[in-house]
């Protein structure tokens, strides 16, 4: 998928919501546990109930790997289900990978070829040759951690490095890499005031924004400082939507929560883009 | 496994070699491709041929994930094979994971519980709460990236942050984390002169050292600057050993290469520890 297609989908759906799929067997409705693959059944129901309100799904690989081969099979079934039934949806493997060049090439193969995700999240610590193998894939997107939404973000990401915070240096340096137009960035919603500075460095890039909802970030604040003239934001919500109910109505309640967010986004898009 | 047990194994085998398992279907001997699971057969043969010369095996998860579910099954069979047949061997899931707390907990569960590795590699960028969930596991070890062996290491890891390089700040900060005694660190062999400075910060920690062999690092230089009074080093070699031959003699040739390294290590250990 191209960023232009993603942009068009955002305007059409009046939504820049991405639903995070973090399926945890201890949190999903207990009646699903009778199924052969409860994780896939859970994801499928969430997807069917929300696909018209969201432009992206972001399966978090940890929540599949924790269940071993069965979990990896659930991940494969989930991404296949999205690609087959809702091919316009932007898919993100939230995997936070990154290693030396020949290893990153294998990770890129895993997520872009074997599983056919549109994008994957990566960590920047190992630098250029750990990220460029991902960037080599045409119409695939590499979403690099810049400023994350967790408490530990302040351990290293905001350290002063030669007069600027490390995350700014990460953003600036990454722009010099080959095929850097395939980069997007993770910027946590809990730090809305940082978006102004970030937009000075990467005015045109899509930003994947976790931290709305359960982690306390404000959607309107993020949009105020982070939106660009192509919207340029994918706002992720996981727990607040997928765990809205533990009952048999979980998919319906997930839709209600997604609809609330979509309506708020529709208002913001309408105001800014007169659509 | 405790670090004391690892130390004892090192003295007993007169080796601190770790063999990296990076199985690539385009590089393994072609006669193996007839097997139902060529990756496992390759690993098994390498393991059987080298287990008395090495104290650790380090499967690189990327090289399994790239083959999807079949790859994940090969990884599971490989770690089970080591644990069942050579339970004294220290196992490392080279996965470079790291995410917000509840996600890192799931990764820890994947590698420490589901797959039963002794250790896993993690990336530091997201800070304390992305690593502490791994550290919570007793007698399991978390090997954090400090200074890696690739070219991109100089993009961010050596940036000056308030008067010291970032990797030094990473080492220092990590020592304040809960259960930090369960930390080990990745330090690339291509930068042997850095070991002196690193040992000032983490004198007692085990260091996992990639970059010997194919990547050009020198074993004697690494030992000169990096060894402590408990050895404190695990030196990884992958390609130079596992791809020593593409013929039916690949396991025998792998053993020959591993033996060369082990003999050099035996000399160094003998000199320093009079064993």
């Amino acid at each position: 998928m191209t960023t232009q297609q993603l942009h068009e989908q955002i305007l059409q759906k009046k939504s820049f919501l991405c639903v995070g799929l973090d399926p945890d067997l201890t949190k999903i409705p207990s009646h699903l546990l009778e199924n052969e693959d409860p994780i896939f059944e859970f994801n499928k129901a969430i997807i069917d109930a929300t696909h018209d309100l969201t432009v992206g799904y972001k399966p978090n690989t940890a929540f599949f790997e924790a269940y071993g081969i069965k979990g990896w099979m659930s991940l494969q079934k989930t991404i296949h289900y999205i690609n087959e039934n809702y091919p316009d949806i932007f898919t993100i493997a939230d995997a936070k990978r990154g290693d030396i060049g020949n290893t990153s090439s294998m990770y890129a193969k895993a997520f872009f070829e074997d599983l056919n995700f549109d994008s994957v999240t990566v960590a920047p610590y190992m630098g250029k040759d750990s990220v460029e193998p991902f960037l080599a894939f045409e119409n695939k997107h590499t979403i690099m951690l810049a400023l994350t939404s967790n408490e530990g973000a302040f351990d290293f990401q905001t350290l002063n490095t030669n007069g600027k915070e490390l995350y700014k240096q990460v953003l600036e340096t990454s722009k010099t890499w080959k095929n850097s137009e395939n980069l997007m960035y993770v910027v946590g919603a809990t730090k809305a005031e940082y978006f102004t500075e970030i937009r000075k460095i990467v005015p045109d890039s899509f930003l994947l924004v976790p931290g709305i909802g359960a982690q306390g970030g404000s959607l309107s604040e993020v949009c105020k400082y982070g939106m660009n003239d192509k919207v340029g934001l994918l706002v992720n919500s996981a727990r607040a939507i997928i765990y809205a109910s533990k009952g048999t109505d979980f998919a319906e309640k997930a839709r209600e929560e997604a609809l609330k967010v979509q309506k708020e986004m529709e208002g913001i898009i309408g105001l800014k883009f007169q659509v």
Side-chain angles (χ1 to χ4, degrees), chain A:
Chain A
M1 184 181 298
T2 65
T3 49
Q4 180 58 29
Q5 287 169 318
L6 176 57
H7 174 63
E8 284 163 12
Q9 190 192 168
I10 288 170
L11 293 188
Q12 187 198 326
K13 289 183 172 170
K14 298 183 176 62
S15 170
F16 43 99
L17 173 62
C18 174
V19 173
L21 298 173
D22 300 7
D24 182 334
L25 286 180
T26 67
K27 287 186 185 164
I28 69 174
S30 55
H31 72 278
L32 291 176
L33 300 177
E34 294 157 17
N35 288 286
E36 200 196 314
D37 188 344
I39 286 180
F40 173 68
E41 294 303 327
F42 176 74
N43 291 342
K44 181 175 173 297
I46 297 283
I47 292 162
D48 286 338
T50 59
H51 69 93
D52 57 322
L53 305 173
T54 181
V55 295
Y57 288 108
K58 180 175 75 61
N60 180 332
T61 54
F63 287 76
F64 298 86
E65 291 177 25
Y67 303 110
I69 287 161
K70 278 197 73 164
W72 201 263
M73 288 177 76
S74 305
L75 176 63
Q76 188 185 71
K77 281 161 75 179
T78 301
I79 180 67
H80 286 184
Y81 186 78
I82 299 168
N83 283 339
E84 273 166 35
N85 294 280
Y86 310 109
D88 59 327
I89 293 268
F90 185 73
T91 53
I92 303 168
D94 195 4
K96 312 257 184 350
R97 300 299 199 260
D99 207 313
I100 61 171
N102 71 324
T103 300
S104 276
S105 293
M106 295 304 262
Y107 280 128
K109 190 164 138 41
F111 292 107
F112 291 153
E113 291 183 353
D114 183 67
L115 291 169
N116 198 19
F117 275 94
D118 291 313
S119 66
V120 63
T121 58
V122 302
Y125 194 72
M126 292 181 69
K128 173 176 165 154
D129 52 321
S130 73
V131 178
E132 283 188 343
F134 293 97
L135 299 176
F137 285 74
E138 206 176 347
N139 293 331
K140 298 286 187 182
H141 307 271
T142 305
I143 310 179
M144 192 164 77
L145 298 179
L147 185 61
T148 58
S149 58
N150 63 322
E151 193 191 322
F154 298 105
D155 282 340
F156 308 122
Q157 297 167 24
T158 52
L159 283 180
N160 187 311
T161 58
N162 302 326
K164 68 182 70 129
E165 290 100 327
L166 175 61
Y167 76 91
K168 289 186 187 170
Q169 187 64 57
V170 165
L171 289 168
E172 284 182 9
T173 301
S174 72
K175 289 171 69 179
T176 68
W177 296 341
K178 197 174 175 189
N179 300 311
S180 63
E181 68 278 9
N182 293 334
L183 275 169
M184 300 180 177
Y185 302 94
V186 174
V187 180
T190 43
K191 297 157 187 81
E193 68 272 25
Y194 288 81
F195 278 83
T196 310
E197 294 294 304
I198 288 167
R199 275 301 181 204
K200 287 182 189 162
I201 308 171
V202 287
D204 302 322
S205 303
F206 262 95
L207 307 179
L208 173 64
V209 185
I212 293 279
Q215 292 176 63
S218 150
L219 179 62
S220 61
E221 286 287 297
V222 165
C223 292
K224 183 173 167 188
Y225 300 111
M227 204 170 244
N228 66 17
D229 61 3
K230 295 265 188 178
V231 182
L233 296 174
L234 285 171
V235 170
N236 188 71
S237 180
R239 284 169 276 180
I241 291 176
I242 68 176
Y243 298 129
S245 160
K246 280 199 78 160
T248 52
D249 62 347
F250 73 99
E252 195 184 318
K253 293 293 180 195
R255 180 176 176 82
E256 283 174 21
E257 289 303 313
L259 188 62
K260 278 185 211 165
V261 182
Q262 186 273 327
K263 282 294 166 202
E264 194 179 348
M265 290 178 169
E266 185 169 337
I268 292 167
I269 291 176
L271 208 65
K272 181 150 177 172
F273 298 93
Q274 284 86 43
V275 288

